[in-house]
Amino acid sequence: MKTCNVYILSYDIARVNRLVRVHRCVRRYGRHLQNSVYCLTATPPQLRKLCDELSRLIHAGEDDVRIYPLFSGRSIYWLGRRADADGILDLTLPPIHYVKCS
């Protein structure tokens, strides 16, 4: 069995036409958290495939895509609107602990 890792992906895309293409690509791989921010669960080959796809979509001199690995098995702490507010529960994410804001 291949090991899946959890990543946070964020991007800053200069032109709207590329932004739309990048968004469509990334949403196939992960959960949309905020504008231009996603949580991905992927094996190393899946991550390489995503990077290959993105490298064909972006302009290296104008756009920025960053993928940050999260420590496997660690919890995600969430403040504000719940992640499952839209009725979707993603079991591929690490445990999410909601922190009440006062």
Side-chain angles (χ1 to χ4, degrees), residues 50-70:
L50 171 61
C51 290
D52 289 344
E53 289 181 38
L54 288 171
S55 67
R56 290 190 297 272
L57 296 175
I58 69 169
H59 183 285
E62 296 179 2
D63 302 329
D64 180 29
V65 177
R66 298 177 186 204
I67 302 171
Y68 300 99
L70 296 179

Side-chain angles (χ1 to χ4, degrees), residues 81-101:
R81 188 172 56 90
R82 293 180 63 93
D84 57 359
D86 54 7
I88 298 172
L89 179 60
D90 188 346
L91 298 176
T92 63
L93 290 176
I96 298 175
H97 298 281
Y98 295 96
V99 178
K100 186 175 181 177
C101 297

Side-chain angles (χ1 to χ4, degrees), residues 2 7 16 25 54 56:
K2 295 182 181 177
Y7 303 91
V16 174
C25 174
L54 288 171
R56 290 190 297 272

Side-chain angles (χ1 to χ4, degrees), residues 17-87:
N17 59 339
R18 287 196 307 266
L19 174 67
V20 170
R21 289 193 294 262
V22 168
H23 170 75
R24 287 180 182 157
C25 174
V26 175
R27 75 178 180 190
R28 293 192 324 261
Y29 287 87
R31 183 183 177 120
H32 186 224
L33 300 177
Q34 293 181 355
N35 290 342
S36 305
V37 179
Y38 294 78
C39 185
L40 314 173
T41 303
T43 63
Q46 289 170 328
L47 187 62
R48 280 191 298 277
K49 182 179 178 191
L50 171 61
C51 290
D52 289 344
E53 289 181 38
L54 288 171
S55 67
R56 290 190 297 272
L57 296 175
I58 69 169
H59 183 285
E62 296 179 2
D63 302 329
D64 180 29
V65 177
R66 298 177 186 204
I67 302 171
Y68 300 99
L70 296 179
F71 296 108
S72 298
R74 299 291 174 106
S75 297
I76 296 173
Y77 291 88
W78 203 294
L79 289 84
R81 188 172 56 90
R82 293 180 63 93
D84 57 359
D86 54 7

